[in-house]
Every structure is written in C-alpha cells, then in structure tokens.
C-alpha cells in the first residue's frame, strides 16, 4: 500500500500564515489568535507512517510539532491569578473617570508573563463577544509589545500599527494618539495589553 505524501504547500503562503499567527501585535493576528483554536493534524497509523518518504515524514512531524506549539495554555496559578486580577481591574475601571487602575506583571524571563497577559486578553475578548454578539465593529483588546528604551512616540506608533492606522514619518505623537484614541473610543476598547 502506498501512502500519499502530505499535501504540497505554497511556501510563501505557509510562511505568511505562520507570521500572521505569531503577530498578536496586529488586529488581524490578534483576531486569528482568538478565533482559531489549534486543530489537530490527521494522525497516521504506524503502517501509514512507515510508508512515508523521509521528506514526507519530516513534513508530517513538522505539522504535529506545529500543532503542539500552538496548543492552549495551561491554566497555572500564575495565569489564573493574572486573569482574575485583570478582570477585576477592568470591572473597577469601567465607570472610573480618572485614576484608573493598572496591572503590572513582572518576573524572571520564562515564567509565563506573556502567556498570562495573552490569556487575560483572550478571556476579556471572549466575554465581550458573548455580551455583544453579532457586533463586528468592536475591538475590545489592544495588544502591543514595547522594546526596551522605547520612546513615547514609538509606543504610540505601536498602537497605531495594531489598529492598521498609517503612521507617517512626520506625524507627531499627538496626531498619532488622537487617531488611536478616536478608534479605541469608537470601537469600545476596554483592555490594553
């Protein structure tokens, strides 16, 4: 019995999809993260697996490893605490006019800080969607990363980039922030990560 090789892929499309899946710092990437839980690859029987060529086996293994790399985050006590504290702060801030409370997540590298805040964002977005079904023009969560030694203008530009707003080299920080705040107000953004 001959086992067919895994379906051929357009390399450029595959790379673009992989980049978009990793880019939580764009609205499209964030929505893909929220909308597309990982789907398991088709499992081959041991006989089918042995029938694959070395290249076919490598592609099959890569698909399986890719699936496991995108699996759901384990709800550790750190992740749960971050989500609970973040949700409480969102509720407390809901009607605040000034002096809104924030959450800072800190710790050593590799302790799950990024995973915890993305799970907070995921929980917030899913709850917002449940409260407002069939309302497509909402952007409940903004997610950016800030490089070390970033200037205020660089941070503002990251917000604009997430939203897909143009940032011209001559745009000053005030112009960028006004555009970002206008979109966030119109789309009812409730959480910035």
């Amino acid at each position: 019995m001959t086992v067919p090789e895994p379906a051929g892929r357009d390399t450029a499309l595959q790379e673009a999809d992989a980049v978009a899946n990793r880019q939580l710092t764009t609205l499209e990437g964030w929505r893909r993260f929220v909308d597309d839980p990982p789907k398991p690859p088709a499992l081959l029987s041991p006989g089918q697996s042995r029938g694959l060529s070395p290249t076919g086996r490598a592609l099959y293994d890569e698909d399986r490893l890719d699936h496991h790399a995108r699996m759901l985050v384990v709800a550790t006590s750190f992740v749960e605490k971050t989500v609970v504290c973040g949700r409480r702060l969102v509720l407390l801030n809901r009607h605040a006019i000034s002096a809104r409370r924030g959450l800072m997540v800190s710790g050593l590298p590799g302790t799950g800080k990024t995973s915890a805040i993305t799970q907070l964002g995921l929980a917030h977005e899913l709850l917002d969607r449940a409260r407002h079904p069939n309302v497509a023009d909402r952007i409940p969560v903004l997610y950016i990363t800030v490089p070390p030694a970033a200037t205020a203008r660089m941070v503002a530009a990251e917000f604009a980039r997430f939203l897909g707003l143009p940032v011209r080299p001559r745009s000053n920080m005030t112009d960028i922030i006004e555009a970002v705040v206008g979109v966030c107000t119109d789309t009812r953004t409730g959480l910035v990560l």
Side-chain angles (χ1 to χ4, degrees), residues 27-108:
L27 182 57
E28 181 182 325
W30 178 261
R31 285 193 171 153
R32 186 172 285 126
F33 167 70
V34 173
D35 293 336
D36 295 335
K39 295 168 186 64
L43 294 177
L44 300 178
S45 70
Q48 291 172 319
S49 180
R50 283 190 295 274
L52 292 175
S53 70
T55 302
R57 178 63 189 201
L59 288 172
Y60 176 67
D61 288 343
E62 186 177 316
D63 284 345
R64 290 174 41 230
L65 288 171
D66 182 57
H67 168 71
H68 287 289
R70 293 181 293 123
M71 289 184 75
L72 300 175
V73 173
V74 175
T76 64
S77 60
F78 181 70
V79 170
E80 286 181 354
K81 182 178 178 184
T82 302
V83 171
V84 168
C85 287
R87 292 293 310 136
R88 287 181 181 158
L89 289 171
V90 167
L91 291 171
L92 288 171
N93 289 335
R94 186 172 286 164
H95 301 290
I97 295 170
S98 63
R100 293 179 182 246
R101 293 162 180 88
L103 175 66
M104 182 179 290
V105 180
S106 64
L108 297 172

Side-chain angles (χ1 to χ4, degrees), residues 79-179:
V79 170
E80 286 181 354
K81 182 178 178 184
T82 302
V83 171
V84 168
C85 287
R87 292 293 310 136
R88 287 181 181 158
L89 289 171
V90 167
L91 291 171
L92 288 171
N93 289 335
R94 186 172 286 164
H95 301 290
I97 295 170
S98 63
R100 293 179 182 246
R101 293 162 180 88
L103 175 66
M104 182 179 290
V105 180
S106 64
L108 297 172
T111 56
K113 299 178 298 294
T114 301
S115 296
I117 65 167
T118 56
Q119 293 307 298
L120 168 59
L122 178 63
H124 181 80
E125 177 112 5
L126 293 175
L127 186 59
D128 187 85
R129 289 180 181 187
R131 283 192 176 126
H132 308 282
N134 305 319
V135 181
D137 63 346
R138 293 177 71 89
I139 304 175
V141 176
L142 260 70
Y143 180 89
I144 67 166
T145 58
V146 181
T151 65
R153 186 184 185 286
M154 291 168 67
V155 174
E158 284 300 307
F159 285 123
R161 189 173 75 80
F162 179 90
L163 295 168
L165 300 174
V167 177
R168 292 171 182 72
R170 293 184 184 216
S171 297
N172 65 38
M173 188 176 70
T174 304
D175 295 336
I176 299 169
I177 289 294
E178 283 181 4

